[in-house]
Short mmCIF file of all heavy atoms in Angstrom, two decimals:
data_model
loop_
_atom_site.label_atom_id
_atom_site.label_comp_id
_atom_site.label_asym_id
_atom_site.label_seq_id
_atom_site.Cartn_x
_atom_site.Cartn_y
_atom_site.Cartn_z
N ALA A 104 -40.30 160.26 141.85
CA ALA A 104 -41.45 161.16 141.76
C ALA A 104 -41.10 162.50 141.12
O ALA A 104 -41.98 163.14 140.53
CB ALA A 104 -42.04 161.39 143.16
N ILE A 299 -56.21 137.79 159.24
CA ILE A 299 -54.78 137.52 159.27
C ILE A 299 -54.31 137.44 160.72
O ILE A 299 -54.67 138.28 161.55
CB ILE A 299 -54.00 138.62 158.52
CG1 ILE A 299 -54.35 138.59 157.03
CG2 ILE A 299 -52.50 138.47 158.71
CD1 ILE A 299 -53.79 139.75 156.25
N ASP A 320 -53.82 158.02 154.27
CA ASP A 320 -54.68 159.21 154.23
C ASP A 320 -53.86 160.50 154.12
O ASP A 320 -54.28 161.43 153.43
CB ASP A 320 -55.57 159.26 155.47
CG ASP A 320 -56.60 158.15 155.50
OD1 ASP A 320 -56.91 157.62 154.42
OD2 ASP A 320 -57.08 157.81 156.60
N LEU A 391 -25.75 149.16 148.19
CA LEU A 391 -24.86 150.22 147.74
C LEU A 391 -23.83 149.67 146.75
O LEU A 391 -22.86 149.03 147.18
CB LEU A 391 -24.14 150.87 148.92
CG LEU A 391 -25.01 151.41 150.06
CD1 LEU A 391 -24.11 152.05 151.12
CD2 LEU A 391 -26.05 152.39 149.54
N VAL A 440 -38.78 163.38 169.09
CA VAL A 440 -38.87 163.77 167.68
C VAL A 440 -39.72 165.03 167.54
O VAL A 440 -39.35 165.98 166.83
CB VAL A 440 -39.45 162.61 166.83
CG1 VAL A 440 -39.80 163.09 165.42
CG2 VAL A 440 -38.46 161.46 166.76
N GLU A 445 -40.41 170.80 166.42
CA GLU A 445 -41.10 172.03 166.81
C GLU A 445 -40.15 173.12 167.34
O GLU A 445 -40.60 174.17 167.79
CB GLU A 445 -42.17 171.70 167.87
CG GLU A 445 -43.28 170.81 167.32
CD GLU A 445 -44.15 170.22 168.42
OE1 GLU A 445 -44.00 170.66 169.59
OE2 GLU A 445 -44.96 169.31 168.12
N LEU A 462 -24.03 166.35 171.51
CA LEU A 462 -24.63 167.27 172.48
C LEU A 462 -25.94 166.70 173.01
O LEU A 462 -26.83 166.31 172.23
CB LEU A 462 -24.89 168.63 171.82
CG LEU A 462 -23.65 169.45 171.44
CD1 LEU A 462 -24.05 170.62 170.56
CD2 LEU A 462 -22.95 169.94 172.69
N HIS A 525 -20.31 166.11 185.07
CA HIS A 525 -21.37 167.03 184.67
C HIS A 525 -21.77 167.96 185.81
O HIS A 525 -22.24 169.06 185.59
CB HIS A 525 -22.59 166.23 184.18
CG HIS A 525 -23.21 165.39 185.25
ND1 HIS A 525 -22.69 164.17 185.63
CD2 HIS A 525 -24.32 165.60 186.00
CE1 HIS A 525 -23.45 163.66 186.57
NE2 HIS A 525 -24.44 164.50 186.82
N ILE A 534 -27.19 175.85 172.13
CA ILE A 534 -27.20 175.94 170.67
C ILE A 534 -27.38 177.40 170.27
O ILE A 534 -28.25 178.09 170.78
CB ILE A 534 -28.35 175.09 170.08
CG1 ILE A 534 -28.12 173.62 170.41
CG2 ILE A 534 -28.42 175.30 168.58
CD1 ILE A 534 -26.88 173.04 169.84
#
Side-chain angles (χ1 to χ4, degrees):
I299 295 172
D320 293 338
L391 306 182
V440 169
E445 295 167 10
L462 291 169
H525 64 281
I534 297 298

